Amino acid sequence: MAIYSIDDLSRREILRMSAVLAASAASLSIASVASAATLPRTPGQILGPFYPLKELPRNADLTSVPGRSGRAAGQILNVMGRVLNVSGEPVRGATLEVWQANSYGRYTHPSDTNPAPLDPNFDGCAVLMTDLQGHYRFKTIKPAAYPAGANLIRPAHIHFQVSGRNDRLVTQMYFEGDPHNDKDPFLNSAARKELLTTQLRDPSSEFEPDSKVVTFDIVLYNG
Ligand SMILES: [Fe+2]
């Protein structure tokens, strides 16, 4: 049987308590890292010259124009996602303004000099609001790429201006595989351009069978 002096026991107890405290500190540290885990903020992009002049309609279906029976030309696209803050919390009641070119690459904006045709059944803009879980959703058509100067073709994209209670973000959503993505200076100005690029997916049964679906989550700082 080993015989320990009081000093030995004290030393052993101190060492044991130190180990316990160190383990506690480590787990506290892990917990604090976990609670501080941050989502990457969605990169900002330029507003661009074609922000709508008129009041944006509160209409989550951009594929038709009120008062007209026709349907917008092009690939029907369901765009959905959530607006979150960097802690992953939903931003409820955020306002999303969206605007885009039509399926020929033309905006319904008086300053767009692209000779591509207008689509009488497509205005290409709307204002939306997130629900309690931060979700938004709208139906539109896939925009086309368009020329923007002598040596630049902008890849297909949809513009967003998102306003929460504390933050406003202006950005653009792009499509994976667009042949003009690699040379676009605006998309490539983003440190993490994959955060702005969505993937076209086939629809689930709740959507029109010939439509496509993309998911674009938007992360504000505070929300
Ligand atoms: Fe644009």
Side-chain angles (χ1 to χ4, degrees), residues 75-149:
Q75 170 67 62
I76 299 292
L77 183 67
N78 301 286
V79 183
M80 65 191 65
R82 298 179 78 192
V83 180
L84 304 165
N85 65 18
V86 292
S87 298
E89 298 164 332
V91 182
R92 60 189 59 133
T95 299
L96 293 94
E97 297 164 89
V98 297
W99 66 104
Q100 63 169 94
N102 65 23
S103 61
Y104 311 115
R106 175 84 181 266
Y107 286 84
T108 53
H109 189 287
S111 293
D112 189 358
T113 56
N114 185 359
L118 288 167
D119 181 344
N121 297 311
F122 188 70
D123 273 347
C125 58
V127 60
L128 314 159
M129 189 170 283
T130 57
D131 67 13
L132 292 177
Q133 287 76 43
H135 291 285
Y136 75 91
R137 174 167 154 177
F138 62 99
K139 184 164 80 167
T140 185
I141 52 90
K142 185 172 180 290
Y146 60 83

